[in-house]
Short mmCIF file of all heavy atoms in Angstrom, two decimals:
data_model
loop_
_atom_site.label_atom_id
_atom_site.label_comp_id
_atom_site.label_asym_id
_atom_site.label_seq_id
_atom_site.Cartn_x
_atom_site.Cartn_y
_atom_site.Cartn_z
N ALA A 17 65.24 64.34 75.26
CA ALA A 17 65.88 64.77 74.15
C ALA A 17 66.13 63.57 73.21
O ALA A 17 66.45 62.35 73.67
CB ALA A 17 67.42 65.21 74.54
N THR A 18 65.95 63.80 71.88
CA THR A 18 66.17 62.85 70.87
C THR A 18 67.12 63.38 69.81
O THR A 18 66.92 64.56 69.40
CB THR A 18 64.86 62.38 70.18
OG1 THR A 18 63.95 61.99 71.18
CG2 THR A 18 65.09 61.27 69.15
N ILE A 19 68.18 62.69 69.43
CA ILE A 19 69.17 63.11 68.42
C ILE A 19 69.02 62.27 67.26
O ILE A 19 68.98 61.01 67.28
CB ILE A 19 70.54 62.99 69.09
CG1 ILE A 19 70.71 63.72 70.38
CG2 ILE A 19 71.64 63.45 68.09
CD1 ILE A 19 71.90 63.35 71.25
N GLN A 20 68.96 62.93 66.12
CA GLN A 20 68.90 62.23 64.80
C GLN A 20 69.86 62.85 63.89
O GLN A 20 70.05 64.07 63.87
CB GLN A 20 67.43 62.44 64.21
CG GLN A 20 66.34 61.78 64.93
CD GLN A 20 66.51 60.27 64.92
OE1 GLN A 20 66.97 59.70 63.99
NE2 GLN A 20 65.98 59.64 65.98
N PRO A 21 70.57 62.12 62.99
CA PRO A 21 70.59 60.77 62.97
C PRO A 21 71.66 60.20 63.95
O PRO A 21 72.72 60.94 64.10
CB PRO A 21 71.05 60.41 61.70
CG PRO A 21 71.84 61.59 61.17
CD PRO A 21 71.16 62.78 61.95
N LEU A 22 71.48 59.15 64.54
CA LEU A 22 72.57 58.53 65.33
C LEU A 22 73.30 57.52 64.50
O LEU A 22 72.60 56.86 63.61
CB LEU A 22 71.94 57.83 66.66
CG LEU A 22 71.64 58.70 67.79
CD1 LEU A 22 71.07 57.87 68.91
CD2 LEU A 22 72.81 59.51 68.29
N PRO A 23 74.55 57.29 64.85
CA PRO A 23 75.22 56.20 64.00
C PRO A 23 74.59 54.88 64.17
O PRO A 23 73.91 54.58 65.24
CB PRO A 23 76.68 56.30 64.68
CG PRO A 23 76.73 57.48 65.34
CD PRO A 23 75.37 57.95 65.79
N ILE A 27 76.52 53.50 70.41
CA ILE A 27 77.19 54.82 70.78
C ILE A 27 77.09 54.80 72.28
O ILE A 27 76.01 54.51 72.88
CB ILE A 27 76.55 55.92 70.17
CG1 ILE A 27 77.19 57.28 70.45
CG2 ILE A 27 75.01 56.10 70.29
CD1 ILE A 27 76.84 58.45 69.54
N SER A 28 78.05 55.35 72.92
CA SER A 28 77.98 55.35 74.48
C SER A 28 77.15 56.50 74.92
O SER A 28 77.02 57.61 74.24
CB SER A 28 79.48 55.48 75.02
OG SER A 28 79.96 56.79 74.80
N PHE A 29 76.60 56.35 76.12
CA PHE A 29 75.79 57.43 76.67
C PHE A 29 76.77 58.66 76.89
O PHE A 29 76.24 59.80 76.92
CB PHE A 29 75.04 57.08 77.93
CG PHE A 29 74.24 58.21 78.49
CD1 PHE A 29 73.06 58.65 77.86
CD2 PHE A 29 74.73 58.90 79.61
CE1 PHE A 29 72.46 59.70 78.36
CE2 PHE A 29 73.97 59.95 80.12
CZ PHE A 29 72.88 60.30 79.44
N ALA A 30 77.99 58.46 77.34
CA ALA A 30 78.89 59.55 77.53
C ALA A 30 79.04 60.37 76.36
O ALA A 30 79.11 61.71 76.46
CB ALA A 30 80.34 58.97 77.94
N SER A 31 79.02 59.91 75.18
CA SER A 31 79.11 60.71 73.89
C SER A 31 77.78 61.55 73.70
O SER A 31 77.83 62.70 73.32
CB SER A 31 79.26 59.76 72.67
OG SER A 31 80.59 59.04 72.78
N ILE A 32 76.67 60.92 73.96
CA ILE A 32 75.38 61.58 73.82
C ILE A 32 75.32 62.79 74.84
O ILE A 32 74.94 63.81 74.57
CB ILE A 32 74.20 60.55 74.12
CG1 ILE A 32 74.13 59.59 72.99
CG2 ILE A 32 72.90 61.35 74.34
CD1 ILE A 32 73.15 58.51 73.13
N LYS A 33 75.78 62.43 76.19
CA LYS A 33 75.73 63.47 77.20
C LYS A 33 76.62 64.61 76.74
O LYS A 33 76.31 65.86 76.91
CB LYS A 33 76.15 62.81 78.51
CG LYS A 33 76.05 63.74 79.66
CD LYS A 33 76.45 63.06 80.92
CE LYS A 33 76.36 64.10 82.10
NZ LYS A 33 76.70 63.32 83.35
N GLU A 34 77.81 64.34 76.27
CA GLU A 34 78.78 65.34 75.90
C GLU A 34 78.26 66.17 74.81
O GLU A 34 78.34 67.39 74.78
CB GLU A 34 80.07 64.68 75.44
CG GLU A 34 81.24 65.65 75.05
CD GLU A 34 82.45 64.91 74.69
OE1 GLU A 34 82.85 64.00 75.34
OE2 GLU A 34 83.09 65.32 73.67
N LEU A 35 77.56 65.65 73.82
CA LEU A 35 76.97 66.34 72.65
C LEU A 35 75.84 67.30 73.21
O LEU A 35 75.85 68.51 72.86
CB LEU A 35 76.36 65.37 71.64
CG LEU A 35 75.66 66.09 70.48
CD1 LEU A 35 76.67 66.56 69.43
CD2 LEU A 35 74.57 65.15 69.92
N LEU A 36 74.93 66.85 74.03
CA LEU A 36 73.88 67.57 74.58
C LEU A 36 74.44 68.64 75.46
O LEU A 36 73.96 69.76 75.45
CB LEU A 36 72.90 66.70 75.40
CG LEU A 36 72.08 65.86 74.47
CD1 LEU A 36 71.26 64.82 75.34
CD2 LEU A 36 71.07 66.61 73.60
N ASP A 37 75.34 68.25 76.26
CA ASP A 37 75.94 69.32 77.22
C ASP A 37 76.59 70.45 76.49
O ASP A 37 76.31 71.63 76.79
CB ASP A 37 76.98 68.70 78.13
CG ASP A 37 77.40 69.61 79.29
OD1 ASP A 37 76.58 69.97 80.12
OD2 ASP A 37 78.60 70.01 79.25
N ASP A 38 77.31 70.13 75.40
CA ASP A 38 78.03 71.15 74.63
C ASP A 38 76.92 72.06 73.95
O ASP A 38 77.01 73.30 73.98
CB ASP A 38 78.93 70.57 73.53
CG ASP A 38 79.66 71.55 72.83
OD1 ASP A 38 80.32 72.40 73.32
OD2 ASP A 38 79.59 71.54 71.50
N PHE A 39 75.95 71.38 73.38
CA PHE A 39 74.89 72.11 72.58
C PHE A 39 74.08 73.16 73.59
O PHE A 39 73.89 74.27 73.26
CB PHE A 39 73.90 71.21 72.08
CG PHE A 39 72.61 71.85 71.46
CD1 PHE A 39 72.69 72.68 70.35
CD2 PHE A 39 71.44 71.86 72.22
CE1 PHE A 39 71.60 73.29 69.92
CE2 PHE A 39 70.29 72.44 71.71
CZ PHE A 39 70.40 73.24 70.52
N LEU A 40 73.69 72.53 74.71
CA LEU A 40 72.94 73.44 75.59
C LEU A 40 73.66 74.48 76.35
O LEU A 40 73.29 75.67 76.48
CB LEU A 40 72.23 72.51 76.67
CG LEU A 40 71.20 71.57 75.99
CD1 LEU A 40 70.70 70.57 77.05
CD2 LEU A 40 69.87 72.36 75.67
N ARG A 41 74.78 74.15 76.95
CA ARG A 41 75.63 75.15 77.67
C ARG A 41 76.34 76.08 76.76
O ARG A 41 76.41 77.34 77.14
CB ARG A 41 76.61 74.36 78.62
CG ARG A 41 76.00 73.63 79.74
CD ARG A 41 77.04 72.88 80.60
NE ARG A 41 76.53 71.90 81.41
CZ ARG A 41 76.08 72.04 82.71
NH1 ARG A 41 76.13 73.31 83.19
NH2 ARG A 41 75.61 70.98 83.34
N ASN A 42 76.99 75.60 75.74
CA ASN A 42 77.82 76.56 75.00
C ASN A 42 77.17 77.11 73.80
O ASN A 42 77.42 78.30 73.45
CB ASN A 42 79.09 75.75 74.41
CG ASN A 42 79.97 75.24 75.66
OD1 ASN A 42 80.10 75.92 76.64
ND2 ASN A 42 80.40 74.04 75.52
N HIS A 43 76.28 76.42 73.14
CA HIS A 43 75.61 76.96 71.98
C HIS A 43 74.27 77.71 72.42
O HIS A 43 74.06 78.80 71.82
CB HIS A 43 75.25 75.89 71.03
CG HIS A 43 74.67 76.23 69.72
ND1 HIS A 43 75.46 76.97 68.73
CD2 HIS A 43 73.38 76.07 69.19
CE1 HIS A 43 74.61 77.21 67.69
NE2 HIS A 43 73.38 76.70 67.92
N ARG A 44 73.46 77.20 73.10
CA ARG A 44 72.24 77.95 73.62
C ARG A 44 72.33 78.68 74.93
O ARG A 44 71.45 79.41 75.25
CB ARG A 44 71.10 76.78 73.76
CG ARG A 44 70.66 76.28 72.52
CD ARG A 44 69.83 77.38 71.74
NE ARG A 44 69.57 76.83 70.46
CZ ARG A 44 69.12 77.66 69.45
NH1 ARG A 44 69.08 78.91 69.61
NH2 ARG A 44 68.77 77.20 68.29
N ILE A 51 71.81 65.53 83.12
CA ILE A 51 71.52 64.73 81.91
C ILE A 51 71.71 63.22 82.18
O ILE A 51 72.79 62.89 82.57
CB ILE A 51 72.49 65.15 80.70
CG1 ILE A 51 72.37 66.58 80.44
CG2 ILE A 51 72.23 64.37 79.50
CD1 ILE A 51 73.42 67.21 79.38
N GLN A 58 67.06 59.65 73.73
CA GLN A 58 68.46 59.39 74.06
C GLN A 58 68.86 59.90 75.50
O GLN A 58 69.75 59.35 76.15
CB GLN A 58 69.40 60.07 73.10
CG GLN A 58 69.64 59.24 71.84
CD GLN A 58 68.47 59.24 70.92
OE1 GLN A 58 67.93 60.43 70.56
NE2 GLN A 58 67.97 58.07 70.50
N ALA A 59 68.10 60.95 75.96
CA ALA A 59 68.43 61.48 77.30
C ALA A 59 67.32 62.20 77.88
O ALA A 59 66.48 62.69 77.26
CB ALA A 59 69.77 62.40 77.26
N VAL A 61 66.76 65.43 80.22
CA VAL A 61 67.54 66.67 80.57
C VAL A 61 66.74 67.44 81.58
O VAL A 61 65.54 67.77 81.34
CB VAL A 61 67.81 67.54 79.39
CG1 VAL A 61 68.66 68.71 79.69
CG2 VAL A 61 68.51 66.70 78.16
N HIS A 78 66.35 71.44 66.82
CA HIS A 78 67.56 72.37 66.71
C HIS A 78 68.56 71.61 65.90
O HIS A 78 68.91 70.43 66.06
CB HIS A 78 68.08 72.57 68.17
CG HIS A 78 67.11 73.12 69.16
ND1 HIS A 78 66.95 74.45 69.34
CD2 HIS A 78 66.24 72.45 70.01
CE1 HIS A 78 66.03 74.69 70.31
NE2 HIS A 78 65.61 73.52 70.66
N ASN A 79 69.08 72.44 64.87
CA ASN A 79 70.19 71.97 64.04
C ASN A 79 71.47 72.21 64.86
O ASN A 79 71.75 73.36 65.28
CB ASN A 79 70.24 72.62 62.72
CG ASN A 79 68.96 72.34 61.87
OD1 ASN A 79 68.48 71.24 61.95
ND2 ASN A 79 68.40 73.31 61.18
N TYR A 80 72.22 71.24 64.95
CA TYR A 80 73.60 71.29 65.69
C TYR A 80 74.64 70.45 64.85
O TYR A 80 74.53 69.18 64.99
CB TYR A 80 73.44 70.99 67.03
CG TYR A 80 74.64 71.26 67.95
CD1 TYR A 80 75.19 72.54 67.98
CD2 TYR A 80 75.35 70.20 68.52
CE1 TYR A 80 76.30 72.73 68.73
CE2 TYR A 80 76.46 70.41 69.27
CZ TYR A 80 76.95 71.75 69.41
OH TYR A 80 78.08 71.93 70.10
N GLY A 81 75.40 71.02 64.01
CA GLY A 81 76.36 70.25 63.23
C GLY A 81 75.55 69.34 62.36
O GLY A 81 74.74 69.77 61.54
N ASN A 82 75.92 68.14 62.40
CA ASN A 82 75.23 67.02 61.50
C ASN A 82 73.94 66.53 62.09
O ASN A 82 73.29 65.58 61.64
CB ASN A 82 76.13 65.92 61.22
CG ASN A 82 77.32 66.36 60.36
OD1 ASN A 82 77.23 67.35 59.61
ND2 ASN A 82 78.45 65.71 60.55
N TYR A 83 73.49 67.12 63.18
CA TYR A 83 72.41 66.43 64.04
C TYR A 83 71.23 67.46 64.15
O TYR A 83 71.39 68.59 64.11
CB TYR A 83 72.99 66.14 65.41
CG TYR A 83 74.09 65.24 65.43
CD1 TYR A 83 75.32 65.69 65.63
CD2 TYR A 83 73.94 63.80 65.27
CE1 TYR A 83 76.43 64.87 65.58
CE2 TYR A 83 75.08 63.03 65.29
CZ TYR A 83 76.18 63.48 65.45
OH TYR A 83 77.32 62.63 65.46
N ASN A 84 70.00 66.83 64.35
CA ASN A 84 68.92 67.51 64.76
C ASN A 84 68.45 67.05 66.08
O ASN A 84 68.41 65.78 66.30
CB ASN A 84 67.63 67.15 63.75
CG ASN A 84 67.79 67.89 62.51
OD1 ASN A 84 68.24 69.05 62.41
ND2 ASN A 84 67.44 67.30 61.44
N ILE A 85 68.44 67.97 67.02
CA ILE A 85 68.06 67.71 68.48
C ILE A 85 66.74 68.08 68.74
O ILE A 85 66.40 69.27 68.58
CB ILE A 85 69.05 68.26 69.38
CG1 ILE A 85 70.53 67.79 69.00
CG2 ILE A 85 68.86 67.86 70.82
CD1 ILE A 85 71.62 68.59 69.78
N PHE A 87 63.61 68.27 71.62
CA PHE A 87 63.21 68.21 73.02
C PHE A 87 61.66 68.16 73.14
O PHE A 87 61.04 68.86 72.45
CB PHE A 87 63.76 69.37 73.74
CG PHE A 87 65.25 69.55 73.81
CD1 PHE A 87 65.96 70.23 72.92
CD2 PHE A 87 65.99 68.88 74.80
CE1 PHE A 87 67.39 70.23 72.78
CE2 PHE A 87 67.38 68.90 74.81
CZ PHE A 87 68.01 69.53 73.89
#
Side-chain angles (χ1 to χ4, degrees):
T18 305
I19 303 166
Q20 294 293 330
L22 279 180
I27 184 167
S28 71
F29 180 72
S31 297
I32 291 170
K33 184 176 180 179
E34 184 178 312
L35 176 83
L36 289 171
D37 187 66
D38 184 56
F39 170 73
L40 291 167
R41 292 181 198 268
N42 299 323
H43 185 68
R44 287 292 176 197
I51 300 173
Q58 277 77 48
V61 181
H78 302 270
N79 294 322
Y80 187 60
N82 296 328
Y83 303 101
N84 286 320
I85 304 172
F87 295 90

